[in-house]
Amino acid sequence: MTKLIITAAISGAEVTKEHNSAVPYTIEETASEAFMAYKAGASIIHLHVRTDSGEPTQEKLRFANCIKEIRALCPDVIIQPSTGGAVGMSNEERMQPLQLFPEMATLDCGSVNFGGDEVFLNTENTIKEFAAKMVALGVKPEIEVFDKGMIDTAIALGKKNFIEAPMHFNFVMGVNGGIGASPLDFAFMYSSIPQGSTFTASGIGRHQFNVAALSIVAGGHVRVGLEDNIYLSRGVLARSNGELVEKAARLAKELGREIATPNEARQILGLRIVS
Ligand code: KMH
Ligand code: ZN
């Protein structure tokens, strides 16, 4: 089976230091958390950035400064900026990190009712705008899918050349408003993606390592990190993203999957190898 790509989602836009003090805000904290995840086996850093006071921002300069510091510590890691940003951000704000020509970036393929009146809005035109921009810039999209219908949306956009094959998906499972995280939910998503696609899976909260186990066994890849889950185990807060990546790596080894290096991940994902 192919080696396992571990993605570390180190901060996201929602979780705060009040939830877990390890959530990185400053440039130094962001680089340090990325480094701990990289040392533990992460080949991809899924990157959101914050102001020093913790506000989510998609500002190009903030991304550039964080990426510079991450690169200094993790020279070959794949950096995957979020274009999701935070709920309520404009498309222009969300797309700023694409101007830095990252190897990958997220493409959210649908809207999600996160709770209350909070909607993570991705209209068809927004998805087309973001997808076309990534094709134009040569950025490989990680297609974020929170339910099965978003896979169908991606397939339809692929037929119109908004998304190139082979596609790479991230099954986001167990978030409020999206698909659940049961083995049946996983099988439904896994059986719905086009032949030849690659996929990773992100279990939210308590689902993180069950979903990771399902994906490891199914030949997929895994995403862990404080963006999605602040606990190392029931009631025990993770002290860093590195601890969460270490746990995923242990799980993988026990289940017979070796961990991919960043360049091995590039090979699996069809990205250009870096020397
Ligand atoms: N923070 C969510 C609103 C992505 O990175 O593309 C969007 C998100 C998905 O985290
Ligand atoms: Zn994200």
Side-chain angles (χ1 to χ4, degrees):
M1 205 177 266
T2 56
K3 290 188 177 182
L4 180 77
I5 302 170
I6 300 178
T7 297
I10 60 175
S11 62
E14 291 80 24
V15 69
T16 70
K17 283 188 184 289
E18 283 65 52
H19 300 117
N20 185 319
S21 59
V23 175
Y25 289 174
T26 67
I27 293 169
E28 293 68 29
E29 287 171 344
T30 301
S32 164
E33 278 297 314
F35 184 53
M36 285 190 275
Y38 169 77
K39 273 195 308 182
S43 291
I44 300 176
I45 302 296
H46 168 67
L47 186 62
H48 289 254
V49 295
R50 306 285 187 94
T51 63
D52 286 352
S53 58
E55 285 303 305
T57 175
Q58 291 290 107
E59 194 212 10
K60 176 182 167 183
L61 183 61
R62 191 69 169 181
F63 267 100
N65 289 334
C66 284
I67 290 170
K68 179 167 165 276
E69 294 309 315
I70 293 171
R71 277 265 165 270
L73 295 171
C74 327
D76 59 337
V77 83
I78 299 167
I79 297 174
Q80 176 202 90
S82 167
T83 66
V87 170
M89 287 184 176
S90 70
N91 291 358
E92 289 64 36
E93 177 169 8
R94 290 173 53 182
M95 281 198 286
Q96 288 181 76
L98 295 180
Q99 296 168 31
L100 300 170
F101 302 98
E103 296 176 81
M104 296 181 87
T106 59
L107 175 64
D108 294 284
C109 262
S111 300
V112 191
N113 288 334
F114 275 166
D117 291 324
E118 201 170 48
V119 179
F120 177 36
L121 190 62
N122 292 287
T123 66
E124 184 187 62
N125 286 341
T126 290
I127 303 166
K128 283 181 174 176
E129 180 186 7
F130 284 39
K133 190 90 174 162
M134 292 185 206
V135 169
L137 296 172
V139 176
K140 177 157 181 106
E142 177 176 272
I143 302 163
E144 307 301 303
V145 286
F146 296 74
D147 68 30
K148 192 265 186 183
M150 296 189 192
I151 295 174
D152 298 334
T153 297
I155 291 169
L157 289 176
K159 289 185 177 134
K160 297 173 187 162
N161 299 319
F162 282 97
I163 304 174
E164 295 167 341
M167 294 184 186
H168 177 63
F169 292 89
N170 177 24
F171 305 158
V172 184
M173 306 189 73
V175 74
N176 195 35
I179 194 166
S182 73
L184 212 53
D185 293 323
F186 182 87
F188 188 34
M189 299 290 270
Y190 174 51
S191 60
S192 301
I193 59 176
Q195 282 293 331
S197 303
T198 53
F199 66 94
T200 190
S202 308
I204 304 303
R206 70 184 190 285
H207 304 298
Q208 185 152 90
F209 291 101
N210 295 351
V211 168
L214 288 166
S215 194
I216 290 167
V217 167
H221 305 288
V222 303
R223 176 172 117 169
V224 294
L226 294 172
E227 172 172 348
D228 302 328
N229 163 48
I230 58 174
Y231 292 102
L232 185 62
S233 55
R234 186 191 295 270
V236 180
L237 287 172
R239 286 172 299 178
S240 72
N241 283 283
E243 274 200 336
L244 295 168
V245 173
E246 273 164 8
K247 182 168 176 178
R250 276 199 310 275
L251 198 53
K253 284 184 185 129
E254 291 297 331
L255 292 171
R257 291 284 296 276
E258 282 184 72
I259 310 304
T261 63
N263 264 340
E264 288 168 338
R266 289 185 173 90
Q267 226 151 14
I268 294 165
L269 298 172
L271 299 172
R272 196 157 5 101
I273 305 297
V274 300
S275 52

